[in-house]
Amino acid sequence: MDNKIIIFDTTLRDGEQVPGCQLNTIEKIEVARQLESLGVDVIEAGFPISSPGDFQSVVEVSKSVEKPVICALTRAVKKDIEVAADSLKYAKRKRIHTGIGTSEYHINYKLKSNQQDVLSRAVESVRYARKFADDVEFYAEDAGRSDNEYLARVIEAVIKAGASTVNIPDTTGYCLPGEYGEKIAYLVNNVPNIDKAIISTHCHNDLGMATANTLAGVMNGARQVEVTINGIGERAGNTSLEEVVMAIRSHHDLDFEHGIDSRQIMRSSKLVSNLMRMPVQPNKAIVGRNAFAHSSGIHQDGVLKNRLNYEIIDPAEVGVRESTITLTARSGRAALNHHLQLLGYNLETNELDEVYNRFLDLADGKKDITEEDLEVLVGTKNKKGKRPVELVSLQVVSGKSTIPTATVQVSFKGDVFTETASGNGPIDASFTAVKNLVKRRVRLEEFLIQAITRGSDDIGKVHVQVEHKGKIYYGFAANTDIITASVESFLDAIGKIN
Ligand code: KIV
Ligand code: ZN
């Protein structure tokens, strides 16, 4: 049996189902690009029938990444499959992931059906999906609590119908590792055509077993793992990518291969945690703040004598850097470049100059510049400075018992224009002034402000989506002044209208 493990990331689908963790399309593209750098094989980008936003995100992610297969989820419903196929039209390589519940609970109470009908629907949905994609994955929802003999019959039938991957989800996180491993072994031994498909694990963490179950699955013949960054997902979450990857990597005796560049793990973890506003617990394996911190005297002494005394993973392997050089307004280009290189950025001299100027602006208003701040500074590169419409100045008056008013000055093709407007708050007033200035019918569709790190002097990141003549334009800006960031992101989006 091949020892390559396919890494299927579902951060943007199962992970994103967590209440409060929803991402807008721009953020999904950012995560998808990072997943590509991390080296995942498959990105499950969404559940397109669930909302127009999810549909659009699958479309945009498909356009934005090259290497990974882009996967879209469906129920065993024709309309779902058609919509998923449509959302994948720009994907270089696409996969439709369709399925239905196979446990007694799902068949009797959710689907109000019977085993035979569910089997027929499973087969029909795979056949239908194959009309739109060569790569079709089938999931047997709640396989963890499904009867093995029936599950084997369903799996055999869907492989015959054209599924090349069969996903065995422990949807409720019920299984123990031995039990889940045996389930996979049962399928390996009792599904006659199993050699025609890859078995996939998809484990939830309700009993804290997701990583253990996934590894048990792999040891018994599964060759794809469905995982999320930081283990985010419904309820207690999904299997965490970093835990599975580093367990395989640390245990050479397991003799499995995968394409993950582990040095990108920390960056991926921080990006997902920041964008989803989902802090990582400090003692989380691999990516928690304390995962490599040794606090007791005995441990510190042991680590100083030899790291291997208390560390099974070199922090550098997962992209955790230790640096003693701190960045302040007095730091020079060399110090900035040093930090950027530790973060994995190698900038040309002119790019470094550009980032350095923005760094100085930021350092003037903020005492400690963190890695997150640097990521934002580099992330805004190529956007700031190239906007056709630039913010020259902004003055706002707001507060209790005051009518919020904004005076906005912008430059366009060398000329400077000024406008004053009022609104129900400083941002509304500023946006109205901008709209009056640009004289275009633009509608604000989405507006998201995030303070990315700690204190009140933090940078605010602002994402906007605006609509003009039926088309959507995205804007982004970051600044310690959130009203300035808001206006700049609005101008960024408007500047893209041609
Ligand atoms: O947990 C689950 O069963 C799922 C399927 C929809 C794949 O997420
Ligand atoms: Zn799931």
Side-chain angles (χ1 to χ4, degrees):
M1 193 182 270
D2 192 358
N3 64 355
K4 156 101 185 156
I5 304 297
I6 297 165
I7 308 292
F8 176 116
D9 184 278
T10 183
T11 305
L12 294 176
R13 200 278 300 169
D14 226 354
E16 214 248 351
Q17 276 172 220
V18 178
C21 284
Q22 277 64 42
L23 299 179
N24 64 29
T25 303
I26 317 157
E27 293 169 326
K28 285 193 184 171
I29 293 171
E30 213 176 327
V31 171
R33 290 205 172 122
Q34 178 56 31
L35 291 173
E36 183 169 37
S37 306
L38 179 64
V40 309
D41 299 288
V42 185
I43 295 177
E44 187 162 50
F47 180 17
I49 192 86
S50 66
S51 72
D54 234 40
F55 177 90
Q56 196 54 30
S57 297
V58 178
V59 171
E60 297 301 332
V61 167
S62 299
K63 290 182 191 162
S64 308
V65 299
E66 297 278 324
K67 281 188 249 143
V69 172
I70 305 298
C71 176
L73 186 82
T74 82
R75 292 166 299 181
V77 172
K78 279 192 170 172
K79 185 72 191 160
D80 281 32
I81 294 170
E82 287 160 12
V83 172
D86 197 22
S87 73
L88 289 167
K89 57 180 177 276
Y90 297 107
K92 318 274 171 310
R93 295 190 295 148
K94 63 178 170 210
R95 173 179 298 184
I96 295 178
H97 189 190
T98 189
I100 193 163
T102 51
S103 68
E104 246 181 78
Y105 299 97
H106 280 230
I107 295 173
N108 295 338
Y109 308 126
K110 179 176 156 185
L111 303 164
K112 300 193 181 356
S113 182
N114 57 61
Q115 286 195 339
Q116 192 45 48
D117 279 357
V118 165
L119 192 142
S120 307
R121 278 184 66 185
V123 168
E124 272 166 34
S125 64
V126 169
R127 271 208 201 110
Y128 195 60
R130 279 298 305 264
K131 290 188 196 298
F132 303 96
D134 293 335
D135 184 349
V136 171
E137 172 169 342
F138 173 80
Y139 64 87
E141 195 175 5
D142 205 14
R145 294 186 300 168
S146 299
D147 170 61
N148 283 350
E149 189 271 327
Y150 173 63
L151 184 62
R153 276 196 284 132
V154 174
I155 296 302
E156 181 183 354
V158 295
I159 294 175
K160 211 158 147 206
S164 43
T165 304
V166 286
N167 178 12
I168 312 300
D170 183 20
T171 306
T172 58
Y174 171 75
C175 289
L176 299 176
E179 196 180 354
Y180 189 75
E182 275 167 27
K183 193 171 281 285
I184 302 298
Y186 184 89
L187 297 174
V188 169
N189 297 322
N190 292 280
V191 174
N193 53 1
I194 198 71
D195 59 315
K196 309 253 177 334
I198 300 281
I199 301 180
S200 183
T201 64
H202 179 113
C203 299
H204 281 264
N205 205 28
D206 299 65
L207 294 174
M209 302 287 167
T211 298
N213 286 350
T214 298
L215 291 171
V218 165
M219 285 188 244
N220 282 283
R223 287 295 176 269
Q224 176 175 284
V225 293
E226 304 198 1
V227 289
T228 60
I229 303 292
N230 299 337
I232 60 159
E234 294 262 25
R235 308 180 308 279
N238 287 59
T239 307
S240 124
L241 179 146
E242 58 277 7
E243 291 175 16
V244 173
V245 162
M246 293 317 290
I248 290 176
R249 199 169 169 152
S250 311
H251 284 259
H252 302 288
D253 49 316
L254 289 180
D255 195 26
F256 294 120
E257 285 171 12
H258 55 72
I260 295 294
D261 175 358
S262 63
R263 287 160 311 168
Q264 294 287 335
I265 283 179
M266 204 56 181
R267 185 189 289 185
S268 309
S269 165
K270 284 191 171 159
L271 181 72
V272 167
S273 159
N274 287 335
L275 292 181
M276 293 196 163
R277 282 146 279 158
M278 176 79 138
V280 175
Q281 74 190 58
N283 59 330
K284 163 82 178 65
I286 318 295
V287 290
R289 193 173 65 236
N290 295 345
F292 299 102
H294 304 278
S295 49
S296 83
I298 294 174
H299 282 210
Q300 284 178 346
D301 180 57
V303 169
L304 287 174
K305 284 181 176 136
N306 186 335
R307 272 197 129 115
L308 296 177
N309 282 329
Y310 286 102
E311 266 177 10
I312 57 167
I313 296 168
D314 177 351
E317 264 188 70
V318 294
V320 174
R321 300 155 299 269
E322 290 140 308
S323 173
T324 50
I325 302 176
T326 52
L327 286 175
T328 68
R330 285 176 299 284
S331 302
R333 277 179 185 67
L336 176 66
N337 203 23
H338 168 77
H339 274 266
L340 290 172
Q341 281 175 348
L342 290 177
L343 285 167
Y345 294 109
N346 286 308
L347 302 190
E348 301 289 334
T349 315
N350 58 335
E351 290 176 320
L352 180 63
D353 286 346
E354 212 185 290
V355 174
Y356 183 65
N357 288 336
R358 290 207 295 280
F359 160 76
L360 289 180
D361 281 349
L362 177 64
D364 266 347
K366 192 170 190 286
K367 272 198 304 298
D368 303 313
I369 306 294
T370 64
E371 282 180 2
E372 283 92 345
D373 295 334
L374 292 182
E375 301 268 5
V376 170
L377 285 177
V378 178
T380 57
K381 180 169 68 75
N382 301 331
K383 291 178 182 159
K384 199 168 173 188
K386 287 196 180 151
R387 291 189 185 113
V389 196
E390 277 286 347
L391 181 65
V392 177
S393 75
L394 170 69
Q395 198 172 34
V396 286
V397 180
S398 78
K400 204 166 172 206
S401 310
T402 308
I403 296 174
T405 310
T407 301
V408 177
Q409 238 185 9
V410 300
S411 75
F412 178 63
K413 294 191 176 160
D415 292 322
V416 175
F417 304 88
T418 308
E419 180 75 32
T420 299
S422 53
N424 64 10
I427 292 175
D428 186 45
S430 311
F431 279 22
T432 305
V434 170
K435 279 192 217 165
N436 294 345
L437 270 175
V438 299
K439 297 189 175 59
R440 280 185 151 146
R441 275 176 55 84
V442 287
R443 195 155 49 88
L444 187 63
E445 289 275 318
E446 199 161 318
F447 175 64
L448 180 77
I449 299 187
Q450 286 171 282
I452 51 167
T453 43
R454 285 157 267 259
S456 56
D457 63 347
D458 201 355
I459 300 190
K461 288 208 304 182
V462 180
H463 289 282
V464 297
Q465 285 182 25
V466 301
E467 186 268 343
H468 174 69
K469 293 190 176 163
K471 277 184 82 179
I472 297 288
Y473 299 87
Y474 301 100
F476 172 77
N479 200 300
T480 45
D481 179 325
I482 52 165
I483 302 174
T484 302
S486 304
V487 174
E488 286 188 326
S489 71
F490 196 41
L491 290 172
D492 188 33
I494 289 173
K496 290 174 186 160
I497 300 173
N498 36 44

